Amino acid sequence: MPEVTTTSEEGYSAENDIRDFSVTIDATGEDAPDTLETLLAAYGSCYVPALRVGGEQRGAGDLGTIEIDVTGDLNDDDKLEAVAFDIKWETETDDETAQDVIDRAFELCKVHDAVKADLHADTTVETGAF
């Protein structure tokens, strides 16, 4: 089960402990990647292995080097409204096979599955904890 501990002692920057790793995320984007940049990075990073598996499963074979430019469009409230992937891979494939690989990758990508309207965090709170 994935588990992350997020701690902020002041300001808008938070330290995230993920297993033996530590990742800083800054909501303002001044000291580290901001929250939406981090989400987009996670989405693209999850989609890469999904493309690789999709390539093998849909007859494209090894896709070689993969590069994804992930772009997020914001609404008037600076909230994420849309995401676009500009994908490049090394192996030459026909348009139909490429679309089959892309479609299969969306089926496999765990982050794609997680960014849905009905996913909402259950919460508990302990005040006066520190």
Side-chain angles (χ1 to χ4, degrees):
M1 174 181 301
E3 186 175 319
V4 176
T5 300
T6 303
T7 307
S8 176
E9 294 182 6
E10 64 181 356
Y12 300 103
S13 187
E15 198 67 29
N16 297 273
D17 294 324
I18 308 164
R19 293 182 289 121
D20 294 333
F21 304 97
S22 184
V23 177
T24 301
I25 301 171
D26 181 2
T28 65
E30 293 176 11
D31 297 324
D34 73 26
T35 53
L36 291 179
E37 291 167 332
T38 305
L39 174 66
L40 296 178
Y43 201 170
S45 296
C46 186
Y47 198 70
V48 165
L51 281 169
R52 292 198 183 284
V53 172
E56 294 294 333
Q57 291 180 347
R58 296 300 185 256
D62 182 356
L63 299 178
T65 300
I66 298 172
E67 179 180 290
I68 305 174
D69 289 328
V70 185
T71 306
D73 290 333
L74 303 179
N75 63 20
D76 292 337
D77 293 325
D78 283 337
K79 294 184 179 177
L80 193 60
E81 184 171 74
V83 176
F85 286 170
D86 182 16
I87 305 166
K88 298 174 187 170
W89 64 63
E90 186 175 0
T91 300
E92 188 71 34
T93 55
D94 62 71
D95 291 344
E96 183 179 344
T97 301
Q99 190 61 54
D100 288 345
V101 170
I102 287 168
D103 293 342
R104 180 62 178 143
F106 278 120
E107 293 171 359
L108 295 168
C109 180
K110 294 176 182 180
V111 173
H112 176 74
D113 183 64
V115 290
K116 53 191 166 206
D118 61 342
L119 181 66
H120 188 81
D122 291 330
T123 59
T124 63
V125 64
E126 178 183 346
T127 64
F130 303 103

